[in-house]
C-alpha cells in the first residue's frame, strides 16, 4: 500500500490573523527518491511568528511562499530512507522541512543533531534558531555588557527567555516585559530576571521608568508597536535597540505602527538595528557549544510548549499571536519509532 503524506499547502494569502481555509490539508503519496535524495519522517515542527510574514506577498529576507506550495516550517526528523551518502537511515536532522509528515530533501541546508546531547525539542528552541537569535542579537547587535540594564519584550517566549538568561549570565540587570502575571512570575522566579512588567495590566512607559531608573542600555524588541515606543521613551545615553521582531504588527490590516518618538535616538545618541539570525549561520556551532555549556552548568534553562497533532497546525500557530505559549511553541507530528 502506498504510504501517505499529510501536508498543509498555502491556499490563500491571509488577511489579518490566518484562518484554517488559508491552507489546504491534503493526503498525498510519499514520493519516491531520486539519487542524492533522502526521506525524512518529521517528528517536530517549529512554530514561529515569522511564518505569518512568509505567507504574505512581497519582498522580505526570504521569498514569499507561493500559493499551492507546502507551508514553510523549520522542523526536526529522522532519516527513514536515503540515497544520499552524507545521511544515513537513523540520522536526526534539522532544517526547513515544511508543515507535513514526510519531507524529501537533497540534503542542502540540513544539519544533523545528536539526541544524546539534548532532548530533540531543545534543538528547535534554546539550541536552535530562537536561541541563536537571542545569542547573536543580544551580544553582537545589542553589545550587552556587564552592568547594562537590558529590557526584553516577549520575555516568556522562545527568544525572549533566552535573551534574559544570557543577559543575566553576562552580568546585566534584566527587566522582562510579558503578558500576564503567570508569565511575569515565571521569568523572575524560575529564570532569575531582575524584574518583570505585565504589559496587559500596567502602563509600560511608566513602569519602565520605575524599573530602569538610569534608563535602558539595551532594548531587545520582539513585539514592536506601543511597547517599542515605551522603551524609546526610557533610553539611557548610547542605548542599543535590537529590532528582532514586531509580533504586535504581523497580523495588522492597517499600516504597521512605527514609533512616533524616534527622535529619542538622536537625543540619547542611541542606535536601532535590525537583525536576521540567518546572517550568523556560519557561527551557530560555536554559539551552540557555549550555550550547551551554560545549560549543563544549570545557568540556562530551556522550556518547550509542545502541542500534538499535525492536523492542529492552523490553530496551534495562532497561539503565538494570542500569547498562549510559554517558551518555544512546537508541534509534535509523530512518535520517534
Ligand atoms: N530577526 C530574526 O532573525 C528572528 C528570529 C526568530 C524570531 N524573531 C522574532 O522574535 C519574536 C519572538 O519570536 P518567538 O519565536 O520567541 O515567539 P514567542 O515569543 O515564543 O511567542 C510569541 C509571543 O509574542 C507575544 N505577543 C503576541 N502578540 C503580542 C502583542 N500584540 N503585543 C505584545 N506581545 C505579543 C506573546 O507573549 P505575551 O503573552 O507576553 O503577549 C506570545 O507568546 C517575534 O517577533 C519573531 O518574529 C526574529
Amino acid at each position: 500500500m502506498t504510504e501517505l503524506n499529510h501536508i498543509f499547502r498555502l491556499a490563500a494569502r491571509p488577511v489579518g490573523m490566518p484562518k484554517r481555509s488559508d491552507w489546504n490539508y491534503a493526503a498525498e503519496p510519499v514520493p519516491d527518491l531520486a539519487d542524492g535524495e533522502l526521506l525524512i519522517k518529521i517528528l517536530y515542527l517549529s512554530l514561529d511568528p515569522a511564518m505569518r510574514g512568509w505567507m504574505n506577498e512581497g519582498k522580505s529576507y526570504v521569498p514569499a511562499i507561493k500559493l499551492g506550495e507546502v507551508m514553510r516550517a523549520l522542523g526536526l526528523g529522522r532519516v527513514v530512507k536515503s540515497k544520499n551518502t552524507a545521511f544515513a537511515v537513523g540520522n536526526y536532522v534539522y532544517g526547513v522541512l515544511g508543515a507535513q509528515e514526510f519531507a524529501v530533501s537533497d540534503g542542502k541546508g540540513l544539519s544533523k543533531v545528536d539526541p544524546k546531547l539534548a532532548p530533540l525539542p531543545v534543538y528547535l528552541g534554546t539550541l536552535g534558531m530562537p536561541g541563536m537569535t537571542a545569542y547573536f542579537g543580544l551580544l553582537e547587535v545589542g553589545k550587552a555588557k556587564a552592568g547594562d540594564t537590558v529590557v526584553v519584550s516577549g520575555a516568556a517566549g522562545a527568544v525572549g527567555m533566552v535573551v534574559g538568561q544570557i543577559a543575566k549570565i553576562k552580568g546585566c540587570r534584566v527587566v522582562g516585559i510579558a503578558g500576564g502575571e503567570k508569565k511575569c512570575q515565571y521569568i523572575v522566579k524560575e529564570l532569575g530576571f531582575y524584574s518583570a512588567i505585565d504589559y496587559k495590566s500596567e502602563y509600560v512607559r511608566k513602569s519602565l521608568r520605575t524599573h530602569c531608573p538610569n534608563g535602558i542600555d539595551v532594548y531587545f524588541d520582539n513585539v514592536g508597536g506601543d511597547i517599542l515606543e515605551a522603551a524609546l521613551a526610557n533610553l539611557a545615553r548610547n542605548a542599543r535597540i535590537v529590532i528582532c521582531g514586531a509580533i504586535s504588527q504581523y497580523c495588522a490590516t492597517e499600516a504597521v505602527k512605527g514609533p512616533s518618538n524616534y527622535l529619542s535616538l538622536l537625543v540619547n545618541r542611541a542606535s536601532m538595528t535590525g537583525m536576521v539570525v540567518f546572517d550568523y549561520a556560519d557561527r551557530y556551532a560555536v554559539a551552540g557549544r557555549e550555550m550547551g555549556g551554560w545549560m549543563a552548568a544549570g545557568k540556562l534553562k530551556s522550556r518547550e510548549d509542545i502541542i500534538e497533532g499535525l492536523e492542529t497546525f492552523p490553530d496551534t500557530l495562532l497561539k503565538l499571536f494570542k500569547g498562549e505559549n510559554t517558551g518555544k511553541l512546537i508541534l509534535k507530528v509523530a512518535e520517534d519509532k
Side-chain angles (χ1 to χ4, degrees), residues 201-222:
S201 68
E202 295 179 49
Y203 180 41
V204 177
R205 188 181 287 226
K206 193 159 159 260
S207 295
L208 280 173
R209 207 170 309 137
T210 311
H211 290 251
C212 312
N214 299 321
I216 301 167
D217 297 299
V218 180
Y219 173 54
F220 193 107
D221 191 24
N222 284 316

Side-chain angles (χ1 to χ4, degrees), residues 15-281:
V15 177
M17 284 268 201
K19 47 191 184 310
R20 206 173 174 93
S21 58
D22 294 328
W23 292 277
N24 255 326
Y25 187 48
E28 300 173 7
V30 173
D32 292 329
L33 296 184
D35 279 343
E37 289 183 338
L38 57 143
L39 182 68
I40 302 153
K41 176 180 174 169
I42 297 174
L43 304 175
Y44 297 101
L45 287 176
S46 173
L47 296 190
D48 295 292
M51 293 164 92
R52 175 63 187 83
W54 299 340
M55 297 168 81
N56 292 339
E57 218 155 15
K59 186 175 176 284
S60 185
Y61 59 94
V62 286
I65 306 167
K66 294 194 185 90
L67 293 177
E69 265 182 2
V70 57
M71 177 64 199
R72 187 182 297 141
L74 288 165
L76 196 153
R78 188 163 41 81
V79 178
V80 289
K81 281 184 194 166
S82 182
K83 291 188 176 180
N84 181 313
T85 49
F87 294 90
V89 169
N91 285 165
Y92 290 91
V93 293
Y94 167 72
V96 181
L97 303 183
Q100 54 185 340
E101 291 176 299
F102 292 94
V104 173
S105 166
D106 60 6
K108 287 198 192 97
L110 285 184
S111 45
K112 289 184 195 168
V113 300
D114 185 348
K116 289 193 223 80
L117 295 181
L120 290 173
V122 176
Y123 289 105
L124 294 179
T126 302
L127 291 179
M129 186 275 288
M132 298 299 144
T133 306
Y135 182 97
F136 290 106
L138 180 72
L139 301 178
E140 298 266 326
V141 184
K143 299 185 172 56
K145 56 181 190 315
D148 279 348
T149 292
V150 172
V151 174
V152 57
S153 53
V159 174
M161 67 174 282
V162 181
V163 169
Q165 293 181 87
I166 297 179
K168 194 183 164 215
I169 289 168
K170 294 290 177 185
C172 305
R173 184 172 174 281
V174 192
V175 178
I177 305 175
E181 199 186 325
K182 231 170 137 184
K183 289 190 181 185
C184 286
Q185 281 194 4
Y186 168 67
I187 60 176
V188 173
K189 294 200 173 134
E190 297 261 331
L191 303 182
F193 283 40
Y194 177 77
S195 63
I197 296 170
D198 174 4
Y199 78 90
K200 289 189 173 160
S201 68
E202 295 179 49
Y203 180 41
V204 177
R205 188 181 287 226
K206 193 159 159 260
S207 295
L208 280 173
R209 207 170 309 137
T210 311
H211 290 251
C212 312
N214 299 321
I216 301 167
D217 297 299
V218 180
Y219 173 54
F220 193 107
D221 191 24
N222 284 316
V223 306
D226 293 337
I227 295 178
L228 170 59
E229 202 160 286
L232 277 168
N234 284 283
L235 296 182
R237 195 163 168 159
N238 296 318
R240 286 85 67 200
I241 297 172
V242 183
I243 300 295
C244 172
I247 193 167
S248 74
Q249 305 299 308
Y250 293 172
C251 296
T253 48
E254 289 164 12
V256 165
K257 184 182 182 333
S260 62
N261 58 346
Y262 78 96
L263 285 178
S264 172
L265 297 174
L266 182 158
V267 174
N268 293 295
R269 290 77 160 169
S271 62
M272 188 149 100
T273 311
M275 64 102 41
V276 174
V277 64
F278 306 128
D279 295 347
Y280 301 89

